[in-house]
CSV table of all heavy atoms in Angstrom, one decimal:
chain,number,residue,atom,x,y,z
A,1086,GLN,N,45.3,96.9,9.7
A,1086,GLN,CA,44.6,96.0,8.8
A,1086,GLN,C,45.1,96.3,7.4
A,1086,GLN,O,45.2,97.5,7.0
A,1086,GLN,CB,43.1,96.1,8.9
A,1086,GLN,CG,42.5,95.7,10.2
A,1086,GLN,CD,42.7,94.3,10.5
A,1086,GLN,OE1,42.7,93.4,9.6
A,1086,GLN,NE2,42.8,93.9,11.8
A,1087,TYR,N,45.5,95.3,6.6
A,1087,TYR,CA,46.1,95.6,5.3
A,1087,TYR,C,44.9,95.7,4.3
A,1087,TYR,O,44.5,94.7,3.7
A,1087,TYR,CB,47.1,94.5,4.9
A,1087,TYR,CG,48.3,94.6,5.8
A,1087,TYR,CD1,48.5,93.8,6.9
A,1087,TYR,CD2,49.3,95.5,5.5
A,1087,TYR,CE1,49.6,93.9,7.7
A,1087,TYR,CE2,50.4,95.6,6.2
A,1087,TYR,CZ,50.6,94.8,7.4
A,1087,TYR,OH,51.7,94.9,8.1
A,1088,LYS,N,44.4,96.9,4.2
A,1088,LYS,CA,43.3,97.2,3.3
A,1088,LYS,C,43.7,98.1,2.1
A,1088,LYS,O,44.8,98.8,2.2
A,1088,LYS,CB,42.2,97.8,4.1
A,1088,LYS,CG,41.6,97.0,5.2
A,1088,LYS,CD,40.9,95.7,4.7
A,1088,LYS,CE,40.3,95.0,5.9
A,1088,LYS,NZ,39.6,93.8,5.4
A,1089,CYS,N,42.9,98.2,1.1
A,1089,CYS,CA,43.2,99.0,0.0
A,1089,CYS,C,43.2,100.5,0.4
A,1089,CYS,O,42.1,100.9,0.9
A,1089,CYS,CB,42.2,98.7,-1.2
A,1089,CYS,SG,42.5,99.8,-2.6
A,1090,PRO,N,44.2,101.2,0.2
A,1090,PRO,CA,44.2,102.7,0.5
A,1090,PRO,C,43.2,103.4,-0.3
A,1090,PRO,O,42.7,104.5,0.1
A,1090,PRO,CB,45.6,103.1,0.2
A,1090,PRO,CG,46.4,101.9,0.3
A,1090,PRO,CD,45.6,100.8,-0.3
A,1091,SER,N,42.8,102.9,-1.5
A,1091,SER,CA,41.9,103.6,-2.3
A,1091,SER,C,40.4,103.4,-2.0
A,1091,SER,O,39.6,104.4,-1.9
A,1091,SER,CB,42.0,103.2,-3.8
A,1091,SER,OG,43.4,103.4,-4.2
A,1092,CYS,N,40.0,102.2,-1.6
A,1092,CYS,CA,38.6,101.9,-1.4
A,1092,CYS,C,38.3,101.2,-0.1
A,1092,CYS,O,37.2,101.0,0.4
A,1092,CYS,CB,38.0,101.1,-2.5
A,1092,CYS,SG,38.6,99.4,-2.6
A,1093,GLY,N,39.4,100.7,0.6
A,1093,GLY,CA,39.2,100.1,1.9
A,1093,GLY,C,38.9,98.6,1.8
A,1093,GLY,O,38.7,98.0,2.9
A,1094,ALA,N,38.8,98.0,0.6
A,1094,ALA,CA,38.6,96.6,0.5
A,1094,ALA,C,39.8,95.8,0.8
A,1094,ALA,O,40.9,96.3,0.9
A,1094,ALA,CB,38.1,96.3,-0.9
A,1095,GLU,N,39.7,94.5,0.9
A,1095,GLU,CA,40.8,93.6,1.2
A,1095,GLU,C,41.8,93.5,0.0
A,1095,GLU,O,41.4,93.4,-1.2
A,1095,GLU,CB,40.3,92.2,1.5
A,1095,GLU,CG,41.4,91.2,1.8
A,1095,GLU,CD,40.8,89.8,2.0
A,1095,GLU,OE1,39.6,89.7,2.0
A,1095,GLU,OE2,41.6,88.9,2.3
A,1096,LEU,N,43.1,93.6,0.3
A,1096,LEU,CA,44.1,93.4,-0.6
A,1096,LEU,C,44.6,92.0,-0.7
A,1096,LEU,O,44.7,91.3,0.4
A,1096,LEU,CB,45.3,94.4,-0.3
A,1096,LEU,CG,45.1,95.9,-0.6
A,1096,LEU,CD1,46.4,96.6,-0.1
A,1096,LEU,CD2,44.9,96.1,-2.0
A,1097,THR,N,44.9,91.5,-1.9
A,1097,THR,CA,45.4,90.2,-2.1
A,1097,THR,C,46.8,90.2,-2.7
A,1097,THR,O,47.0,90.9,-3.7
A,1097,THR,CB,44.4,89.4,-3.0
A,1097,THR,OG1,43.1,89.4,-2.4
A,1097,THR,CG2,44.9,87.9,-3.1
A,1098,PHE,N,47.7,89.3,-2.2
A,1098,PHE,CA,49.0,89.2,-2.8
A,1098,PHE,C,48.9,88.5,-4.1
A,1098,PHE,O,48.3,87.4,-4.2
A,1098,PHE,CB,49.9,88.5,-1.8
A,1098,PHE,CG,51.3,88.4,-2.4
A,1098,PHE,CD1,52.1,89.5,-2.5
A,1098,PHE,CD2,51.9,87.2,-2.7
A,1098,PHE,CE1,53.4,89.4,-3.0
A,1098,PHE,CE2,53.2,87.1,-3.2
A,1098,PHE,CZ,53.9,88.2,-3.3
A,1099,ASP,N,49.5,89.1,-5.2
A,1099,ASP,CA,49.5,88.5,-6.5
A,1099,ASP,C,50.8,87.9,-6.8
A,1099,ASP,O,51.8,88.7,-7.1
A,1099,ASP,CB,49.1,89.6,-7.5
A,1099,ASP,CG,49.1,89.1,-8.9
A,1099,ASP,OD1,49.3,87.9,-9.2
A,1099,ASP,OD2,48.8,89.9,-9.9
A,1100,PRO,N,51.0,86.6,-6.8
A,1100,PRO,CA,52.3,86.0,-7.0
A,1100,PRO,C,52.9,86.3,-8.4
A,1100,PRO,O,54.1,86.4,-8.5
A,1100,PRO,CB,52.0,84.5,-6.9
A,1100,PRO,CG,50.7,84.4,-6.1
A,1100,PRO,CD,49.9,85.6,-6.5
A,1101,SER,N,52.1,86.4,-9.4
A,1101,SER,CA,52.6,86.6,-10.8
A,1101,SER,C,53.3,87.9,-10.9
A,1101,SER,O,54.2,88.1,-11.7
A,1101,SER,CB,51.5,86.4,-11.8
A,1101,SER,OG,50.4,87.4,-11.6
A,1102,HIS,N,52.7,89.0,-10.3
A,1102,HIS,CA,53.3,90.3,-10.4
A,1102,HIS,C,54.1,90.7,-9.1
A,1102,HIS,O,54.7,91.8,-9.1
A,1102,HIS,CB,52.2,91.3,-10.7
A,1102,HIS,CG,51.5,91.1,-12.0
A,1102,HIS,ND1,50.3,90.4,-12.1
A,1102,HIS,CD2,51.9,91.4,-13.3
A,1102,HIS,CE1,50.0,90.4,-13.4
A,1102,HIS,NE2,50.8,91.0,-14.1
A,1103,GLN,N,54.0,89.9,-8.1
A,1103,GLN,CA,54.7,90.2,-6.8
A,1103,GLN,C,54.3,91.5,-6.3
A,1103,GLN,O,55.1,92.3,-5.8
A,1103,GLN,CB,56.2,90.1,-7.0
A,1103,GLN,CG,56.7,88.7,-7.2
A,1103,GLN,CD,56.6,87.8,-6.1
A,1103,GLN,OE1,57.2,88.0,-5.0
A,1103,GLN,NE2,55.8,86.7,-6.2
A,1104,ASN,N,53.0,91.8,-6.4
A,1104,ASN,CA,52.4,93.0,-5.8
A,1104,ASN,C,51.1,92.7,-5.1
A,1104,ASN,O,50.7,91.6,-5.0
A,1104,ASN,CB,52.3,94.1,-6.8
A,1104,ASN,CG,51.3,93.8,-7.9
A,1104,ASN,OD1,50.5,92.8,-7.8
A,1104,ASN,ND2,51.3,94.5,-9.0
A,1105,PHE,N,50.4,93.8,-4.6
A,1105,PHE,CA,49.2,93.6,-3.9
A,1105,PHE,C,48.1,94.3,-4.6
A,1105,PHE,O,48.2,95.5,-5.0
A,1105,PHE,CB,49.3,94.2,-2.5
A,1105,PHE,CG,50.4,93.5,-1.7
A,1105,PHE,CD1,51.7,93.9,-1.8
A,1105,PHE,CD2,50.1,92.4,-0.8
A,1105,PHE,CE1,52.7,93.3,-1.1
A,1105,PHE,CE2,51.1,91.8,-0.1
A,1105,PHE,CZ,52.4,92.3,-0.2
A,1106,SER,N,47.0,93.5,-4.9
A,1106,SER,CA,46.0,94.1,-5.8
A,1106,SER,C,44.6,94.0,-5.1
A,1106,SER,O,44.4,93.2,-4.2
A,1106,SER,CB,45.9,93.3,-7.1
A,1106,SER,OG,45.6,91.9,-6.8
A,1107,CYS,N,43.7,94.9,-5.5
A,1107,CYS,CA,42.4,95.0,-5.0
A,1107,CYS,C,41.4,94.6,-6.1
A,1107,CYS,O,41.4,95.1,-7.2
A,1107,CYS,CB,42.1,96.5,-4.6
A,1107,CYS,SG,40.4,96.7,-4.0
A,1108,ALA,N,40.6,93.6,-5.7
A,1108,ALA,CA,39.6,93.0,-6.7
A,1108,ALA,C,38.4,93.9,-6.9
A,1108,ALA,O,37.7,93.7,-7.8
A,1108,ALA,CB,39.2,91.6,-6.2
A,1109,TYR,N,38.3,94.9,-6.0
A,1109,TYR,CA,37.1,95.8,-6.1
A,1109,TYR,C,37.3,97.0,-7.0
A,1109,TYR,O,36.5,97.3,-7.8
A,1109,TYR,CB,36.6,96.2,-4.7
A,1109,TYR,CG,36.1,95.0,-3.9
A,1109,TYR,CD1,37.0,94.2,-3.2
A,1109,TYR,CD2,34.8,94.6,-4.0
A,1109,TYR,CE1,36.5,93.1,-2.5
A,1109,TYR,CE2,34.3,93.5,-3.3
A,1109,TYR,CZ,35.2,92.8,-2.5
A,1109,TYR,OH,34.7,91.7,-1.8
A,1110,CYS,N,38.4,97.7,-6.7
A,1110,CYS,CA,38.6,98.9,-7.5
A,1110,CYS,C,39.7,98.8,-8.5
A,1110,CYS,O,39.9,99.7,-9.3
A,1110,CYS,CB,38.9,100.1,-6.6
A,1110,CYS,SG,40.5,100.0,-5.7
A,1111,GLY,N,40.4,97.7,-8.5
A,1111,GLY,CA,41.4,97.4,-9.5
A,1111,GLY,C,42.8,98.0,-9.2
A,1111,GLY,O,43.7,98.0,-10.0
A,1112,SER,N,42.9,98.7,-8.1
A,1112,SER,CA,44.2,99.3,-7.7
A,1112,SER,C,45.2,98.2,-7.4
A,1112,SER,O,44.9,97.1,-7.0
A,1112,SER,CB,44.0,100.2,-6.5
A,1112,SER,OG,43.1,101.2,-6.7
A,1113,SER,N,46.5,98.5,-7.6
A,1113,SER,CA,47.6,97.6,-7.3
A,1113,SER,C,48.7,98.4,-6.7
A,1113,SER,O,48.9,99.6,-7.0
A,1113,SER,CB,48.1,96.9,-8.5
A,1113,SER,OG,48.6,97.8,-9.5
A,1114,PHE,N,49.5,97.8,-5.8
A,1114,PHE,CA,50.5,98.5,-5.0
A,1114,PHE,C,51.7,97.6,-4.9
A,1114,PHE,O,51.6,96.4,-4.7
A,1114,PHE,CB,50.0,98.9,-3.6
A,1114,PHE,CG,48.8,99.7,-3.6
A,1114,PHE,CD1,47.5,99.1,-3.6
A,1114,PHE,CD2,48.8,101.1,-3.6
A,1114,PHE,CE1,46.4,99.8,-3.6
A,1114,PHE,CE2,47.7,101.8,-3.6
A,1114,PHE,CZ,46.4,101.2,-3.6
A,1115,SER,N,52.9,98.2,-5.2
A,1115,SER,CA,54.1,97.4,-5.0
A,1115,SER,C,54.4,97.2,-3.6
A,1115,SER,O,53.8,97.8,-2.7
A,1115,SER,CB,55.3,98.1,-5.7
A,1115,SER,OG,55.6,99.3,-5.0
A,1116,GLU,N,55.4,96.3,-3.3
A,1116,GLU,CA,55.7,96.1,-1.9
A,1116,GLU,C,56.3,97.3,-1.3
A,1116,GLU,O,56.0,97.6,-0.1
A,1116,GLU,CB,56.8,94.9,-1.8
A,1116,GLU,CG,57.1,94.6,-0.4
A,1116,GLU,CD,58.1,93.4,-0.4
A,1116,GLU,OE1,58.5,92.9,-1.4
A,1116,GLU,OE2,58.6,93.1,0.8
A,1117,ALA,N,57.1,98.1,-2.0
A,1117,ALA,CA,57.7,99.3,-1.5
A,1117,ALA,C,56.6,100.3,-1.1
A,1117,ALA,O,56.7,101.0,-0.1
A,1117,ALA,CB,58.6,99.9,-2.5
A,1118,GLU,N,55.6,100.4,-2.0
A,1118,GLU,CA,54.5,101.3,-1.7
A,1118,GLU,C,53.7,100.9,-0.4
A,1118,GLU,O,53.3,101.7,0.4
A,1118,GLU,CB,53.5,101.4,-2.9
A,1118,GLU,CG,54.1,102.1,-4.1
A,1118,GLU,CD,53.2,102.0,-5.3
A,1118,GLU,OE1,52.5,101.0,-5.5
A,1118,GLU,OE2,53.3,102.9,-6.2
A,1119,MET,N,53.5,99.6,-0.3
A,1119,MET,CA,52.8,99.1,0.8
A,1119,MET,C,53.6,99.3,2.1
A,1119,MET,O,53.0,99.7,3.2
A,1119,MET,CB,52.5,97.6,0.7
A,1119,MET,CG,51.5,97.3,-0.4
A,1119,MET,SD,49.8,97.9,0.1
A,1119,MET,CE,49.5,96.9,1.5
A,1120,GLN,N,54.9,99.1,2.0
A,1120,GLN,CA,55.7,99.3,3.2
A,1120,GLN,C,55.6,100.8,3.6
A,1120,GLN,O,55.6,101.1,4.8
A,1120,GLN,CB,57.1,98.9,2.9
A,1120,GLN,CG,57.3,97.4,2.8
A,1120,GLN,CD,58.8,97.1,2.4
A,1120,GLN,OE1,59.5,97.9,1.9
A,1120,GLN,NE2,59.1,95.8,2.7
A,1121,LYS,N,55.7,101.7,2.7
A,1121,LYS,CA,55.6,103.2,3.0
A,1121,LYS,C,54.3,103.5,3.6
A,1121,LYS,O,54.3,104.2,4.6
A,1121,LYS,CB,55.9,104.0,1.7
A,1121,LYS,CG,55.9,105.5,2.0
A,1121,LYS,CD,56.2,106.3,0.7
A,1121,LYS,CE,56.2,107.8,1.0
A,1121,LYS,NZ,56.5,108.6,-0.2
A,1122,ILE,N,53.2,103.0,3.0
A,1122,ILE,CA,51.9,103.4,3.5
A,1122,ILE,C,51.7,102.8,4.9
A,1122,ILE,O,51.3,103.6,5.8
A,1122,ILE,CB,50.8,102.8,2.6
A,1122,ILE,CG1,50.8,103.5,1.2
A,1122,ILE,CG2,49.4,102.9,3.2
A,1122,ILE,CD1,50.0,102.8,0.2
A,1123,TYR,N,52.0,101.6,5.1
A,1123,TYR,CA,51.7,101.0,6.4
A,1123,TYR,C,52.8,101.3,7.5
A,1123,TYR,O,52.6,101.1,8.7
A,1123,TYR,CB,51.5,99.5,6.3
A,1123,TYR,CG,50.2,99.2,5.7
A,1123,TYR,CD1,50.0,98.9,4.3
A,1123,TYR,CD2,49.0,99.4,6.4
A,1123,TYR,CE1,48.8,98.7,3.8
A,1123,TYR,CE2,47.7,99.2,5.8
A,1123,TYR,CZ,47.6,98.9,4.5
A,1123,TYR,OH,46.4,98.7,4.0
A,1124,GLN,N,54.0,101.7,7.0
A,1124,GLN,CA,55.0,102.1,8.0
A,1124,GLN,C,54.5,103.4,8.7
A,1124,GLN,O,54.6,103.5,9.9
A,1124,GLN,CB,56.3,102.5,7.3
A,1124,GLN,CG,57.4,102.9,8.3
A,1124,GLN,CD,58.7,103.1,7.5
A,1124,GLN,OE1,58.7,103.3,6.3
A,1124,GLN,NE2,59.8,103.1,8.3
A,1127,GLU,N,51.7,102.2,11.1
A,1127,GLU,CA,52.3,101.5,12.2
A,1127,GLU,C,53.0,102.5,13.2
A,1127,GLU,O,52.9,102.4,14.4
A,1127,GLU,CB,53.3,100.5,11.8
A,1127,GLU,CG,52.6,99.3,11.1
A,1127,GLU,CD,53.6,98.3,10.4
A,1127,GLU,OE1,54.8,98.7,10.4
A,1127,GLU,OE2,53.2,97.3,9.9
A,1169,GLU,N,42.9,84.5,7.7
A,1169,GLU,CA,42.8,86.0,8.1
A,1169,GLU,C,41.6,86.2,9.0
A,1169,GLU,O,40.6,85.4,9.0
A,1169,GLU,CB,42.7,86.8,6.8
A,1169,GLU,CG,43.9,86.9,6.0
A,1169,GLU,CD,43.7,87.7,4.7
A,1169,GLU,OE1,43.0,87.3,3.8
A,1169,GLU,OE2,44.2,88.8,4.7
A,1199,VAL,N,58.9,84.8,5.7
A,1199,VAL,CA,57.9,84.2,4.8
A,1199,VAL,C,58.5,84.2,3.4
A,1199,VAL,O,59.1,85.2,3.0
A,1199,VAL,CB,56.5,84.9,4.9
A,1199,VAL,CG1,56.7,86.4,4.4
A,1199,VAL,CG2,55.5,84.2,4.0
A,1200,LEU,N,58.3,83.1,2.7
A,1200,LEU,CA,58.6,83.0,1.3
A,1200,LEU,C,57.4,83.2,0.5
A,1200,LEU,O,56.5,82.2,0.4
A,1200,LEU,CB,59.4,81.7,1.0
A,1200,LEU,CG,59.8,81.5,-0.5
A,1200,LEU,CD1,60.8,82.6,-0.9
A,1200,LEU,CD2,60.4,80.1,-0.7
A,1201,PRO,N,57.1,84.3,-0.2
A,1201,PRO,CA,55.8,84.5,-0.9
A,1201,PRO,C,55.6,83.6,-2.1
A,1201,PRO,O,56.6,83.1,-2.6
A,1201,PRO,CB,55.9,86.0,-1.4
A,1201,PRO,CG,57.0,86.6,-0.5
A,1201,PRO,CD,58.0,85.5,-0.2
A,1202,PHE,N,54.4,83.3,-2.4
A,1202,PHE,CA,54.1,82.5,-3.6
A,1202,PHE,C,54.6,83.3,-4.9
A,1202,PHE,O,54.4,84.5,-5.0
A,1202,PHE,CB,52.6,82.3,-3.7
A,1202,PHE,CG,52.1,81.2,-2.9
A,1202,PHE,CD1,51.8,81.4,-1.6
A,1202,PHE,CD2,51.9,79.9,-3.4
A,1202,PHE,CE1,51.3,80.3,-0.8
A,1202,PHE,CE2,51.5,78.9,-2.7
A,1202,PHE,CZ,51.1,79.1,-1.3
A,1203,ALA,N,55.2,82.5,-5.8
A,1203,ALA,CA,55.6,83.1,-7.1
A,1203,ALA,C,54.7,82.5,-8.2
A,1203,ALA,O,54.6,83.1,-9.3
A,1203,ALA,CB,57.0,82.7,-7.4
A,1205,THR,N,50.8,81.5,-9.4
A,1205,THR,CA,49.4,81.7,-9.2
A,1205,THR,C,48.7,80.4,-9.2
A,1205,THR,O,49.3,79.4,-9.6
A,1205,THR,CB,48.8,82.7,-10.3
A,1205,THR,OG1,48.9,82.0,-11.6
A,1205,THR,CG2,49.5,84.0,-10.4
A,1240,TYR,N,50.6,78.2,3.2
A,1240,TYR,CA,51.9,78.5,3.8
A,1240,TYR,C,52.2,77.4,4.8
A,1240,TYR,O,51.5,77.4,5.8
A,1240,TYR,CB,51.9,79.9,4.4
A,1240,TYR,CG,52.1,81.0,3.4
A,1240,TYR,CD1,51.1,81.9,3.1
A,1240,TYR,CD2,53.3,81.1,2.7
A,1240,TYR,CE1,51.3,82.9,2.2
A,1240,TYR,CE2,53.5,82.2,1.8
A,1240,TYR,CZ,52.5,83.0,1.5
A,1240,TYR,OH,52.7,84.0,0.6
A,1313,ASN,N,64.7,84.6,-1.8
A,1313,ASN,CA,63.5,85.4,-2.0
A,1313,ASN,C,62.6,85.6,-0.8
A,1313,ASN,O,61.5,86.2,-0.9
A,1313,ASN,CB,62.6,84.7,-3.1
A,1313,ASN,CG,63.3,84.6,-4.4
A,1313,ASN,OD1,64.2,85.5,-4.7
A,1313,ASN,ND2,63.0,83.6,-5.2
A,1314,MET,N,63.1,85.2,0.4
A,1314,MET,CA,62.3,85.3,1.6
A,1314,MET,C,62.2,86.8,2.1
A,1314,MET,O,63.1,87.6,1.8
A,1314,MET,CB,62.9,84.5,2.7
A,1314,MET,CG,62.6,83.0,2.6
A,1314,MET,SD,62.7,82.0,4.1
A,1314,MET,CE,64.4,82.4,4.7
A,1315,LYS,N,61.1,87.1,2.7
A,1315,LYS,CA,60.8,88.4,3.2
A,1315,LYS,C,60.6,88.3,4.7
A,1315,LYS,O,60.1,87.3,5.2
A,1315,LYS,CB,59.6,89.0,2.6
A,1315,LYS,CG,59.6,88.9,1.0
A,1315,LYS,CD,60.6,89.9,0.4
A,1315,LYS,CE,60.4,89.9,-1.1
A,1315,LYS,NZ,61.4,90.8,-1.7
A,1316,LYS,N,60.9,89.4,5.4
A,1316,LYS,CA,60.5,89.5,6.8
A,1316,LYS,C,58.9,89.4,6.9
A,1316,LYS,O,58.2,90.0,6.1
A,1316,LYS,CB,60.9,90.9,7.4
A,1316,LYS,CG,62.4,91.0,7.6
A,1316,LYS,CD,62.9,90.1,8.7
A,1316,LYS,CE,62.5,90.5,10.1
A,1316,LYS,NZ,63.0,89.7,11.2
A,1317,PHE,N,58.5,88.6,7.8
A,1317,PHE,CA,57.0,88.3,7.8
A,1317,PHE,C,56.2,89.5,8.1
A,1317,PHE,O,56.5,90.3,9.1
A,1317,PHE,CB,56.7,87.2,8.9
A,1317,PHE,CG,55.2,86.9,8.9
A,1317,PHE,CD1,54.6,86.1,8.0
A,1317,PHE,CD2,54.5,87.5,9.9
A,1317,PHE,CE1,53.3,85.9,8.1
A,1317,PHE,CE2,53.1,87.2,10.0
A,1317,PHE,CZ,52.5,86.4,9.1
A,1318,THR,N,55.2,89.7,7.3
A,1318,THR,CA,54.1,90.7,7.7
A,1318,THR,C,52.8,90.0,7.3
A,1318,THR,O,52.8,89.1,6.4
A,1318,THR,CB,54.2,92.0,6.9
A,1318,THR,OG1,54.2,91.8,5.5
A,1318,THR,CG2,55.5,92.7,7.2
A,1319,MET,N,51.7,90.5,7.8
A,1319,MET,CA,50.4,89.8,7.6
A,1319,MET,C,50.0,89.9,6.2
A,1319,MET,O,49.2,89.1,5.7
A,1319,MET,CB,49.4,90.5,8.5
A,1319,MET,CG,49.5,90.1,10.0
A,1319,MET,SD,49.1,88.3,10.2
A,1319,MET,CE,47.5,88.2,9.5
A,1320,LYS,N,50.5,90.9,5.4
A,1320,LYS,CA,49.9,91.1,4.1
A,1320,LYS,C,50.2,89.9,3.2
A,1320,LYS,O,49.4,89.7,2.2
A,1320,LYS,CB,50.6,92.4,3.5
A,1320,LYS,CG,52.1,92.3,3.4
A,1320,LYS,CD,52.7,93.6,3.0
A,1320,LYS,CE,54.2,93.6,3.0
A,1320,LYS,NZ,54.8,94.9,2.7
A,1321,TYR,N,51.2,89.1,3.5
A,1321,TYR,CA,51.5,87.9,2.6
A,1321,TYR,C,50.5,86.8,2.8
A,1321,TYR,O,50.4,85.9,1.9
A,1321,TYR,CB,52.9,87.4,2.8
A,1321,TYR,CG,54.0,88.4,2.3
A,1321,TYR,CD1,54.8,89.1,3.2
A,1321,TYR,CD2,54.1,88.6,1.0
A,1321,TYR,CE1,55.7,90.0,2.8
A,1321,TYR,CE2,55.1,89.5,0.5
A,1321,TYR,CZ,55.9,90.2,1.4
A,1321,TYR,OH,56.8,91.1,1.0
A,1322,LEU,N,49.7,86.8,3.8
A,1322,LEU,CA,48.7,85.8,4.1
A,1322,LEU,C,47.5,86.1,3.3
A,1322,LEU,O,46.6,85.2,3.1
A,1322,LEU,CB,48.3,85.7,5.5
A,1322,LEU,CG,49.4,85.1,6.5
A,1322,LEU,CD1,48.8,84.9,7.9
A,1322,LEU,CD2,49.9,83.7,6.0
A,1323,SER,N,47.3,87.3,2.8
A,1323,SER,CA,46.1,87.7,2.1
A,1323,SER,C,45.9,86.8,0.8
A,1323,SER,O,46.7,86.7,-0.1
A,1323,SER,CB,46.2,89.1,1.7
A,1323,SER,OG,45.0,89.6,1.1
A,1324,GLY,N,44.7,86.1,0.8
A,1324,GLY,CA,44.4,85.3,-0.4
A,1324,GLY,C,44.9,83.8,-0.2
A,1324,GLY,O,44.6,83.0,-1.1
A,1325,PHE,N,45.6,83.5,0.9
A,1325,PHE,CA,46.1,82.2,1.1
A,1325,PHE,C,45.7,81.7,2.5
A,1325,PHE,O,45.2,82.4,3.3
A,1325,PHE,CB,47.6,82.2,0.9
A,1325,PHE,CG,48.1,82.6,-0.5
A,1325,PHE,CD1,48.4,83.9,-0.8
A,1325,PHE,CD2,48.1,81.7,-1.5
A,1325,PHE,CE1,48.8,84.3,-2.0
A,1325,PHE,CE2,48.4,82.0,-2.8
A,1325,PHE,CZ,48.8,83.4,-3.1
Side-chain angles (χ1 to χ4, degrees):
Q1086 298 292 329
Y1087 292 97
K1088 300 294 184 179
C1089 176
S1091 301
C1092 70
E1095 179 182 358
L1096 287 176
T1097 302
F1098 181 68
D1099 181 359
S1101 61
H1102 297 95
Q1103 293 291 294
N1104 63 12
F1105 300 85
S1106 59
C1107 176
Y1109 291 90
C1110 70
S1112 300
S1113 62
F1114 304 90
S1115 67
E1116 183 178 357
E1118 290 172 330
M1119 290 294 295
Q1120 287 177 342
K1121 182 178 179 181
I1122 292 169
Y1123 286 103
Q1124 183 177 18
E1127 288 170 357
E1169 293 179 285
V1199 60
L1200 179 61
F1202 277 85
T1205 64
Y1240 281 110
N1313 297 333
M1314 285 202 302
K1315 309 287 186 181
K1316 289 290 290 184
F1317 178 79
T1318 62
M1319 286 296 301
K1320 59 190 177 185
Y1321 290 110
L1322 289 185
S1323 184
F1325 299 96

